[in-house]
Amino acid sequence: MSAAHRSPGPVTADDVRDAVLLAADALRAAGPADWDARAGSLEWSCRETVEHLADDLFAYAAQLGSPDAGASPGTEVPFVWRAQRPGAPANVIFADPAAGPAGLIRVLEACGALLSAMVRTTSADVRSHHVFGASDPEGFAAMGVVETLVHLHDVAEGLGLRWEPDPGLCDRALARLFPDAPAHTGRWPTLLWATGRGELPGLPRRTGWRWYGAPRGAGEEQPG
């Protein structure tokens, strides 16, 4: 049975808030670790990856704040994105390096709070642009949760931290964004598999992946 045939419940503003708060707590446990270490399989440092995550959360909040309003095709809010070095993520949001890891974590928490607030206060019928297709507040909440969970996995590998999020949170995000994911495997390993970061018995490791953020019942073409 695929994830599309079950309903673990919607992804909510509280899920975004909780995921980011748990991530912040985990990062604070790193102490004086090497934040310039490579983040897991990424080409970015741990610091750059947390900045990228904060930027994602901010960008999703901004998209909800400037909905497509019937525009076809929709567009991203035209902020200026820039990278601080070749190969680094292009962001709008950067943390002041002088503020250290504590400041970086505060930036992450602030951006998570922005997305949580926008999800909570935006009408469910709003549609906003995403590169994989227009989505609704719940879809952007799920995207924020997935970005938080999997990028913390990357950073945890680089900083030597333990990170294993709540299976229920993973389950809701999988059901919302990955209708092709197996439904009867461990939820956290399955989310890692779905995002190209892990393996599941009998399934090849993904070398390319995407999510499906169309609102529930919208009729967007789903994977076979």
Side-chain angles (χ1 to χ4, degrees):
M1 182 172 64
S2 74
H5 296 125
R6 61 192 171 83
S7 180
V11 183
T12 68
D14 287 346
D15 286 331
V16 176
R17 177 201 63 198
D18 292 347
V20 173
L21 290 177
L22 288 171
D25 287 345
L27 292 173
R28 288 190 177 96
D34 182 8
W35 288 78
D36 291 325
R38 180 171 163 174
S41 62
L42 304 181
E43 297 297 327
W44 307 332
S45 71
C46 292
R47 178 183 178 83
E48 289 171 338
T49 302
V50 175
E51 281 186 329
H52 166 77
L53 170 57
D55 190 79
D56 281 339
L57 299 173
F58 168 82
Y60 296 157
Q63 288 303 126
L64 288 174
S66 180
D68 291 350
S72 182
T75 58
E76 293 181 343
V77 181
F79 295 108
V80 175
W81 279 269
R82 62 183 177 85
Q84 292 188 317
R85 65 169 181 84
N91 297 340
V92 175
I93 299 298
F94 295 94
D96 182 355
L104 176 63
I105 295 167
R106 286 189 65 194
V107 168
L108 174 62
E109 289 177 314
C111 291
L114 289 174
L115 178 57
S116 180
M118 288 303 300
V119 170
R120 194 180 307 279
T121 58
T122 302
S123 174
D125 61 3
V126 164
R127 302 292 180 263
S128 294
H129 171 79
H130 186 272
V131 67
F132 291 155
S135 194
D136 58 353
E138 187 207 353
F140 281 99
M143 294 177 209
V145 166
V146 169
E147 295 279 8
T148 301
L149 300 187
V150 301
H151 279 315
L152 255 289
H153 167 77
D154 302 328
V155 173
E157 286 192 340
L159 298 180
L161 301 174
R162 177 175 173 79
W163 175 247
E164 187 169 350
D166 173 63
L169 184 59
C170 298
D171 196 27
R172 292 190 291 280
L174 282 164
R176 182 62 177 79
L177 296 181
F178 298 97
D180 55 339
H184 299 299
T185 49
R187 300 294 78 198
W188 176 226
T190 301
L191 185 56
L192 291 176
W193 171 84
T195 55
R197 289 169 169 80
E199 299 178 359
L200 290 175
L203 293 174
R205 188 185 184 105
R206 286 186 159 179
T207 56
W209 60 274
R210 60 158 292 179
W211 55 50
Y212 293 82
R216 296 177 190 268
E220 180 186 273
E221 181 180 352
Q222 300 293 301

